[in-house]
Amino acid sequence: MKQPDRLLAEKLLQINAINLQPNNPFTWASGWNSPIYTDNRKTLSYPDIRSFIKVELSRMILENFPEADAIAGVATGAIAVGALVADLLNLPYVYVRSTPKDHGLENLIEGNIKPGQKVVVIEDLISTGGSSLKAVEAIRAAGCEVAGMCALFSYEFPLSVKRFRDANVKLLTLSNYSAMLDVALETNYIRESDLAALQEWRKDPANWVPNTPEI
């Protein structure tokens, strides 16, 4: 039986939620060259994958954070999946905006959580960890304890690992870059010759330069 990390990686590749182009890289909003582009929101369009994610994240929370009083999704990518998980676990749910609303009550957290509650944060994708940890800061500022964070996928950047460690946040993910590369190679999504470039990118994504194809 396949492990959940490899199974989810396979599903993400199949529906093009993950796209790999080591020889024709994408450009992220940050300006970084990247051989990968991920859009996990596509999983919402596939009931079987959506259900798999909901069940596996809920299992992860029950096994690792049984003390959880509430679930928080990170806007915008994890709003829907967070709500699905909270519904299955029968727990209160909120979501955290990237910036406060610019009108009305100017909420940063949408929904109601109470000071002292233990909250598990749901994220769809961990890259550098910056936006994810801002959500953690908002929940802590509301007087709650962040029990941990559960995410669908992580690029496993050394920078994000350090940031989560420094912020004292336990991060668990359903799948990750390493598992995805293994699956991509096994299913011939990529070639053996692509592997080195894909592995080098993860080590230092800000300075990665793609190989120039020989003419």
Side-chain angles (χ1 to χ4, degrees):
M1 184 176 177
K2 292 180 182 176
Q3 294 297 310
D5 59 346
R6 297 170 68 86
L7 190 54
L8 180 58
E10 186 175 299
K11 293 176 184 293
L12 295 176
L13 288 166
Q14 286 173 348
I15 65 171
N16 295 319
I18 289 178
N19 286 277
L20 295 173
Q21 295 181 184
N23 298 314
N24 183 27
F26 303 94
T27 302
W28 284 2
S30 61
W32 291 2
N33 290 311
S34 171
I36 183 172
Y37 184 78
T38 305
D39 182 4
N40 288 329
R41 286 168 290 197
K42 287 187 176 183
T43 60
L44 298 172
S45 299
Y46 299 84
D48 58 330
I49 300 177
R50 189 177 68 213
S51 180
F52 172 82
I53 290 170
K54 173 181 67 175
V55 169
E56 290 301 323
L57 282 175
S58 298
R59 189 196 317 277
M60 182 179 283
I61 292 168
L62 289 172
E63 291 178 354
N64 294 278
F65 309 111
E67 72 278 17
D69 298 312
I71 302 295
V74 180
T76 59
I79 291 178
V81 69
L84 289 168
V85 169
D87 189 58
L88 185 60
L89 295 175
N90 195 32
L91 289 174
Y93 178 67
V94 300
Y95 71 84
V96 186
R97 293 175 172 272
S98 56
T99 56
K101 193 161 55 175
D102 60 4
H103 61 279
L105 298 177
E106 300 182 347
N107 293 335
L108 183 58
I109 298 175
E110 298 289 359
N112 293 317
I113 49 176
K114 301 174 183 177
Q117 284 186 316
K118 295 179 175 63
V119 180
V120 173
V121 183
I122 302 294
E123 182 62 286
D124 71 318
L125 175 66
I126 305 294
S127 54
T128 63
S131 59
S132 305
L133 290 171
K134 282 183 180 179
V136 169
E137 290 173 7
I139 292 167
R140 286 174 171 170
C144 295
E145 177 185 336
V146 173
M149 181 177 293
C150 296
L152 271 68
F153 189 85
S154 171
Y155 290 135
E156 301 178 299
F157 293 154
L159 174 60
S160 69
V161 172
K162 181 179 185 302
R163 281 179 167 173
F164 276 90
R165 183 176 61 246
D166 290 348
N168 195 28
V169 177
K170 183 176 181 178
L171 171 66
L172 301 174
T173 65
L174 284 187
S175 191
N176 54 63
Y177 194 75
S178 298
M180 182 276 299
L181 287 184
D182 288 345
V183 170
L185 193 59
E186 288 175 6
T187 57
N188 297 316
Y189 189 105
I190 59 172
R191 297 168 297 179
E192 187 76 41
S193 57
D194 296 323
L195 202 54
L198 289 163
Q199 291 171 333
E200 284 300 314
W201 172 78
R202 179 181 54 190
K203 295 176 185 176
D204 188 11
N207 299 301
W208 181 75
V209 178
N211 294 327
T212 303
E214 295 182 3
I215 300 175

